[in-house]
Amino acid sequence: MTYSRILLLLLGLMLAASARAELPASLAQAAAQLATAPDQRQSMVADLADALKSGVTEQDLQSVMRLAVTNKYSAANAAAFIRQLATMRKDDLPVALVRDKILEGMAKKVPSANILAVASEWQAALRDARSSVQAMEERGLKYKKDGERDTLINLGAGLRQHYGAKEALTRLAESASAGGRMAPSAGNLIAAGNLAELFLLHNATLAQALELPSASLRAGYTPAQIQTLQRDAFDQLRQGVAPEDIVAGMRRQFGPAWGTPPTRQPFNTPVQPLNTPGGSWPGSGPGNRPGGMPGGSYPH
């Protein structure tokens, strides 16, 4: 063995030891359990360490590794899922929706190629939604709470993937604009988007779904007021009232000038967001909802 080859070998051993040292014990143990060949294990350890460094949480990585072991995915498959999550974090995209799609597919023992294809579709949708949100930020969109930016991006991606409503968020933002500037905060847009998604979930057309949320934004409603509209609409939908009839009734409530606040505003008590599509997307929600829309669920 030449001197240069010895140096390269020592360097490889040092890098492998360094990568292992950066891993929590649970991840190192999972890597050893899943990847039996030394070179394969070294590669997986490096992927896990890179994902942690990029901002993927230890809990998310543990979930992927646990399902890989339980449902007998190969080390190469698990590494591909881990790299997908790391890529999203490096691209500054919210990871929750794609994480959920990967875990959902693994739990159902979907082939890895199918899982990665669905994950890529959601990544593209998230990237498009982020571009829309960035355009809103350039026009003055403000955030009042932590996590609102990710929620807004997730909401835009969900509207596109589940309903093909790629421009829904942009059209709502136009309703919220005054003189070309974004008038309300992100919280208003999130509440309006949730209301639109409620109508879409009940087979409303896109025009019907956007009419009431757009009017509430033009009228300057607060998030709590829009959530009250959502609660009222949800109650009527459960009773079997058609979406178009609900919109017509709400239109009368707003008064002759559609988009002008009604004289009497029954919005004194803030309400919590409904457990309906679009919510705060805390690792569940539209990303896990079954359906046949593009990028939706996996076959059972």
Side-chain angles (χ1 to χ4, degrees):
M1 183 178 293
T2 65
Y3 182 69
S4 59
R5 291 182 64 189
I6 293 175
L7 286 179
L8 288 173
L9 177 61
L10 290 174
L11 179 59
L13 291 173
M14 290 173 62
L15 289 174
S18 174
R20 281 195 295 271
E22 295 175 7
L23 284 185
S26 60
L27 289 179
Q29 182 179 359
Q33 185 177 359
L34 192 62
T36 54
D39 57 340
Q40 195 176 53
R41 187 181 311 120
Q42 180 179 339
S43 177
M44 172 158 283
V45 165
D47 285 333
L48 287 167
D50 180 64
L52 282 173
K53 185 178 180 181
S54 71
V56 182
T57 67
E58 178 184 346
Q59 181 179 358
D60 287 347
L61 295 175
Q62 286 175 345
S63 297
V64 171
M65 296 296 286
R66 188 181 305 115
L67 278 172
V69 171
T70 301
N71 290 344
K72 295 181 171 54
Y73 282 90
S74 69
N77 292 156
F81 300 149
I82 290 165
R83 288 194 296 270
Q84 177 82 45
L85 296 178
T87 297
M88 294 195 61
R89 291 305 304 144
K90 292 174 183 177
D91 200 18
D92 194 28
L93 290 171
V95 75
L97 286 178
V98 169
R99 173 204 65 203
D100 289 350
K101 281 298 170 186
I102 290 174
L103 295 178
E104 178 189 355
M106 294 179 74
K108 294 179 178 179
K109 300 182 180 181
V110 174
S112 60
N114 293 14
I115 294 176
L116 291 170
V118 169
S120 295
E121 288 180 11
W122 276 96
Q123 183 175 0
L126 287 163
R127 191 177 289 116
D128 282 352
R130 182 185 60 186
S131 296
S132 298
V133 169
Q134 287 173 335
M136 298 174 200
E137 291 167 346
E138 292 172 0
R139 292 161 54 197
L141 179 67
K142 302 299 182 184
Y143 303 103
K144 292 184 178 180
K145 297 179 181 179
D146 291 341
E148 283 186 335
R149 189 175 194 268
D150 283 359
T151 300
L152 198 55
I153 293 172
N154 285 335
L155 179 58
L159 289 169
R160 164 182 159 161
Q161 289 297 93
H162 289 298
Y163 311 103
K166 181 178 179 180
E167 301 300 324
L169 208 58
T170 299
R171 289 172 62 178
L172 289 173
E174 290 170 354
S175 298
S177 299
R181 299 290 293 172
M182 293 296 301
S185 67
N188 300 67
L189 277 179
I190 291 168
N194 290 342
L195 177 55
E197 189 169 16
L198 174 64
F199 281 111
L200 289 169
L201 181 63
H202 287 80
N203 301 315
T205 66
L206 182 58
Q208 291 167 347
L210 293 179
E211 188 172 354
L212 181 57
S214 295
S216 67
L217 289 170
R218 288 194 299 268
Y221 276 17
T222 66
Q225 290 172 328
I226 299 173
Q227 289 160 13
T228 299
L229 292 178
Q230 182 179 349
R231 182 186 63 190
D232 293 344
F234 183 64
D235 288 342
Q236 294 182 66
L237 287 166
R238 285 195 303 179
Q239 295 167 20
V241 181
E244 59 267 28
D245 293 334
I246 295 173
V247 172
M250 294 288 187
R251 190 184 295 120
R252 289 191 295 271
Q253 174 185 325
F254 272 78
W258 184 225
T260 301
T263 303
R264 183 180 65 85
Q265 297 189 30
F267 303 118
N268 297 325
T269 305
V271 297
Q272 295 299 317
L274 292 171
N275 185 22
T276 52
S280 57
W281 305 77
S284 62
N288 289 332
R289 193 169 58 248
M293 300 304 297
S297 295
Y298 301 96
H300 292 274

